[in-house]
């Protein structure tokens, strides 16, 4: 049986990769049902969009954007919500609310099945969708709402969230590999589950990500922090000490040392 570490995520649709990882984390994740829902959306899009050979790619994208965001009413999250619910594809399809990565993966799957040319790009702040217009200019789309993003807007996002002195360049808007997007999505999911105090599920995310990148010190650090919260102090200490050894110059190392000291002074809990 093929393990998750052997899957070539860059050779399958982004949504399929997300579903495979989701199923390895959640035993109740309905992979077949989600795939059927995605294929149903594809069939509906085929009926609604003009796919004749003389219809250009830009026109097809505009039709799909109208269908996806206005008729079907997929949108970004607003109001009070659990971020994790905006990342699991089964819950996103049920609520039609999601993050740029989860909504983008659904949109891109439909586009791919319809042979519409559009790709994912990982911007420092979120996932974008990218293609070229008929005039050859680059077209960036926000998967949260389907709106076009100008270079000026992206530059402001960069300054506001990364560094006020940073300047946008083409390298920050490169087409992203599925494996990179999947890793970022599940990193966000892990953080949201930790915030929501769903530690057992967060631990499953950590273990799954470690199956993809076994020696990642930051993933091992996060596993240690989760295990400490679950009172598995002995194992947590091993993980946190590994992080200190591998990343002594990291600014967070001092905080981790305090955590280690605290755990060292706790009795070991046997499970």
């Amino acid at each position: 049986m093929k393990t998750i570490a052997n899957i070539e995520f860059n050779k399958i649709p982004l949504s399929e990769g997300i579903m495979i990882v989701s199923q390895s984390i959640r035993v109740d994740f309905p992979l077949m049902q989600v795939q059927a829902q995605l294929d149903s959306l594809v069939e509906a899009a085929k009926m609604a969009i003009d796919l004749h050979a003389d219809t250009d790619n830009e026109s097809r994208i505009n039709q799909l954007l109208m269908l996806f965001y206005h008729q079907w009413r997929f949108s970004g999250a607003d109001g009070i919500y659990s971020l994790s619910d905006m990342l699991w594809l089964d819950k996103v399809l049920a609520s039609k609310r999601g993050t740029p990565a989860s909504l983008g993966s659904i949109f891109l799957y439909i586009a791919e099945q319809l042979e519409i040319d559009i790709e994912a790009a990982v911007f420092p702040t979120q996932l974008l969708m990218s293609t070229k217009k008929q005039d050859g200019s680059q077209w960036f789309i926000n998967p949260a709402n389907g709106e076009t993003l100008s270079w000026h807007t992206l530059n402001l996002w960069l300054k506001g969230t990364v560094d006020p002195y940073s300047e946008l360049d083409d390298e920050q808007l490169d087409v992203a590999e599925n494996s990179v997007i999947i890793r970022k999505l599940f990193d966000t999911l892990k953080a949201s589950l930790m915030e929501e105090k769903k530690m057992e599920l967060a631990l499953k995310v950590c273990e799954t990500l470690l199956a993809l990148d076994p020696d990642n010190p930051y993933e091992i650090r996060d596993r240690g922090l989760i295990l400490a919260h679950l009172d598995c102090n002995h194992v947590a200490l091993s993980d946190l000490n590994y992080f200190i050894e591998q990343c002594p110059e990291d600014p967070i190392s001092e905080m981790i040392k305090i955590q280690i000291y605290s755990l060292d002074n706790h009795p070991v809990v046997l499970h």
Side-chain angles (χ1 to χ4, degrees):
M1 183 177 174
K2 186 179 267 193
T3 65
I4 194 169
N6 299 131
I7 293 166
E8 295 187 66
F9 290 103
N10 298 326
K11 294 186 176 179
I12 59 176
L14 174 61
S15 59
E16 185 180 341
I18 292 171
M19 288 190 290
I20 290 169
V21 177
S22 297
Q23 192 178 49
S24 74
I25 296 164
R26 267 178 56 200
V27 293
D28 66 331
F29 184 81
L31 190 149
M32 298 302 291
Q33 179 186 320
V34 171
Q35 187 61 59
Q37 287 176 283
L38 290 175
D39 291 336
S40 177
L41 291 175
V42 170
E43 291 308 310
K46 283 179 181 176
M47 300 290 289
I49 294 173
D50 181 359
L51 297 171
H52 289 107
D54 57 351
T55 307
D56 62 80
N57 192 64
E58 187 177 337
S59 174
R60 292 180 181 189
I61 291 173
N62 276 316
Q63 289 179 69
L64 182 54
L65 289 170
M66 183 63 64
L67 182 66
F68 192 83
Y69 295 100
H70 296 278
Q71 289 181 237
W72 293 345
R73 297 187 176 279
F74 281 95
S75 70
D78 54 15
I80 300 169
Y81 61 92
S82 296
L83 178 56
S84 61
D85 288 346
M86 303 295 110
L87 292 160
W88 298 115
L89 288 190
D90 57 329
K91 298 185 179 183
V92 174
L93 286 165
S95 68
K96 296 190 175 179
R97 300 287 180 272
T99 66
S102 57
L103 292 172
S105 71
I106 297 170
F107 187 96
L108 290 164
Y109 178 76
I110 298 168
E112 183 178 354
Q113 299 308 303
L114 270 54
E115 298 183 351
I116 294 173
D117 182 21
I118 186 167
E119 297 177 296
V122 170
F123 188 60
T125 61
Q126 68 161 67
L127 182 82
L128 306 177
M129 297 188 294
S130 171
T131 189
K132 285 194 182 296
K133 291 195 169 190
Q134 275 192 292
D135 62 8
S137 63
Q138 202 69 23
W139 182 12
F140 298 107
I141 298 166
N142 185 356
N145 53 24
E147 293 179 359
T148 295
L149 293 163
S150 68
W151 189 273
H152 176 70
T153 297
L154 293 173
N155 208 20
L156 288 176
W157 281 7
L158 191 67
K159 290 178 184 295
T161 57
V162 179
D163 178 355
Y165 300 104
S166 56
E167 286 295 331
L168 189 61
D169 61 50
D170 290 332
E171 284 186 10
Q172 291 160 321
L173 295 165
D174 280 346
V175 170
E177 293 186 330
N178 289 351
S179 56
V180 173
I181 299 168
I182 288 168
R183 181 150 199 105
K184 285 179 177 287
L185 185 146
F186 284 97
D187 273 337
T188 304
L189 176 63
K190 174 187 61 186
S192 67
L193 290 169
M194 290 172 73
E195 183 74 22
E196 294 161 20
K197 301 292 186 271
K198 298 173 182 174
M199 291 298 176
E200 288 84 0
L201 207 50
L203 183 59
K204 284 287 291 178
V205 177
C206 235
E207 289 169 344
T208 302
L209 290 174
L210 278 166
L212 300 174
D213 189 3
D215 300 318
N216 187 314
Y218 293 93
E219 208 58 63
I220 291 170
R221 175 202 66 192
D222 286 353
R223 183 176 66 183
L225 293 171
I226 294 167
L227 288 167
H229 195 279
L230 292 170
D231 290 329
C232 302
N233 294 353
H234 182 69
V235 189
L237 279 168
S238 174
D239 280 352
L240 296 176
N241 277 311
Y242 177 85
F243 174 74
I244 295 293
E245 291 165 9
Q246 298 299 313
C247 306
E249 303 302 319
D250 192 287
I252 205 169
S253 288
E254 291 306 314
M255 292 175 63
I256 298 297
K257 286 176 185 176
I258 295 169
Q259 181 85 16
I260 290 170
Y261 177 80
S262 170
L263 292 174
D264 261 333
N265 287 279
H266 271 70
V268 173
V269 176
L270 297 176
H271 289 276

